[in-house]
Amino acid sequence: MHGERRREYLEAIGIDLWVSRAAPAPEAAPEPAAPPRAEPVGELSERWEALRAEVLHCTRCPLHLTRTQGVLGVGPKRCDWLVIGEAPGAEEDRRGEPFVGAAGQLLDAMLRAIGLDRTRNVYIANVLKSRPPGNRDPKPEEVAACLPYLVRQIALLRPKIMLAVGRIAAQNLLGTDAPLGRLRGRVHYFGELNTPLVVTYHPAYLLRTPGDKRKAWEDLKFARNLYQQLTQGAVTDGHRT
Ligand code: SF4
């Protein structure tokens, strides 16, 4: 990315200096499952549309009683990056798209700072597809009911890396109650495909706590460096180089 443009993006997310830090080497990954066979483009589109229709009208948990619509996600049908947040908010519930409004704009700026564009090379979704009333935290049974949709999304997308934004998303995806600070700065693995997963702050939190934007920027660079290792490096002795 051109230096001047990158500076503009960093300023947009409230960071005015480039601080270089190498990504720690990822921990040993579990053996990934064999990748599923490639299906024709038409079949992929049909599977996405079927999933979207299912989520739109899903009644698997009581959240369907209070939401406007189920919100599957937005982005290309297949891409390397998957960003996962907590759940739709009021605006997302109304518009049917995740991460709109001020938090969405900040997320877009964060992604642009590492060369990603939500319309081209990143898919954005939430753990929960329906809005909890009053934006309360998701209940475990709601997450359990909804998580299979995310698993199906991952099977369709086949991302090379996941970015969990916020404590709720990270804890539910990783099955832990560890604080966000302990989950940042290392590589986790999600699901049967052992997709590498990096944790950072939720943009809505960063809007309330701008002092942590620099830490979020460190996380983004960590994720970007990891992605470069995953796509350009070799895998030896269970460690990615
Ligand atoms: S949160 Fe998930 S499981 Fe619950 S109604 Fe919405 S789409 Fe269905």
Side-chain angles (χ1 to χ4, degrees):
M1 182 185 294
H2 188 277
E4 188 56 35
R5 178 167 296 178
R6 183 167 60 196
R7 179 167 293 278
E8 286 174 16
Y9 290 146
L10 293 178
E11 286 174 358
I13 63 174
I15 294 169
D16 55 7
L17 289 172
W18 178 282
V19 181
S20 182
R21 188 184 76 171
E27 294 172 9
E31 280 299 312
R37 69 178 177 84
E39 65 269 63
V41 173
E43 188 180 323
L44 182 65
S45 295
E46 284 172 20
R47 290 173 67 192
W48 270 114
E49 283 319 303
L51 182 57
R52 186 173 300 282
E54 235 180 283
V55 165
L56 189 66
H57 304 293
C58 174
T59 57
R60 273 192 208 166
C61 87
L63 290 179
H64 79 276
L65 297 169
T66 48
R67 59 130 202 255
T68 303
Q69 57 190 317
V71 181
L72 179 64
V74 65
K77 293 183 176 64
R78 182 153 291 166
C79 62
D80 286 355
W81 286 79
L82 172 58
V83 173
I84 300 289
E86 175 181 339
E91 186 68 4
E92 287 83 4
D93 174 69
R94 192 176 64 77
R95 287 173 47 178
E97 182 174 332
F99 284 97
V100 295
Q105 287 172 11
L106 178 55
L107 178 66
D108 289 352
M110 292 164 64
L111 295 174
R112 279 198 301 270
I114 54 169
L116 299 175
D117 182 317
R118 83 149 75 189
T119 62
R120 287 192 301 114
N121 47 21
V122 58
Y123 192 95
I124 302 173
N126 287 302
V127 172
L128 272 194
K129 310 307 187 197
S130 299
R131 181 192 181 213
N135 293 345
R136 64 158 169 75
D137 287 354
K139 296 178 180 176
E141 59 271 27
E142 294 163 351
V143 173
C146 208
L147 217 46
Y149 289 130
L150 179 62
V151 170
R152 285 169 62 186
Q153 283 179 296
I154 291 169
L156 294 174
L157 270 177
R158 298 182 207 163
K160 288 190 168 57
I161 185 168
M162 294 169 65
L163 185 66
V165 297
R167 177 182 64 85
I168 297 290
Q171 289 180 339
N172 280 294
L173 290 172
L174 299 174
T176 178
D177 57 4
L180 187 85
R182 288 209 0 238
L183 300 173
R184 295 176 51 241
R186 47 183 284 226
V187 184
H188 308 268
Y189 295 90
F190 180 82
E192 288 189 358
L193 295 176
N194 292 317
T195 308
L197 184 151
V198 171
V199 171
T200 191
Y201 296 97
H202 195 287
Y205 166 84
L206 293 173
L207 289 172
R208 297 191 302 270
T209 320
D212 278 343
K213 283 183 178 175
R214 183 172 294 278
K215 288 198 268 183
W217 175 231
E218 294 298 325
D219 297 335
L220 292 172
K221 286 190 295 179
F222 177 79
R224 181 193 57 192
N225 291 346
L226 172 64
Y227 175 73
Q228 288 171 348
Q229 289 177 37
L230 293 169
T231 53
Q232 296 167 12
V235 178
T236 55
D237 298 332
H239 286 77
R240 296 181 194 277
T241 59

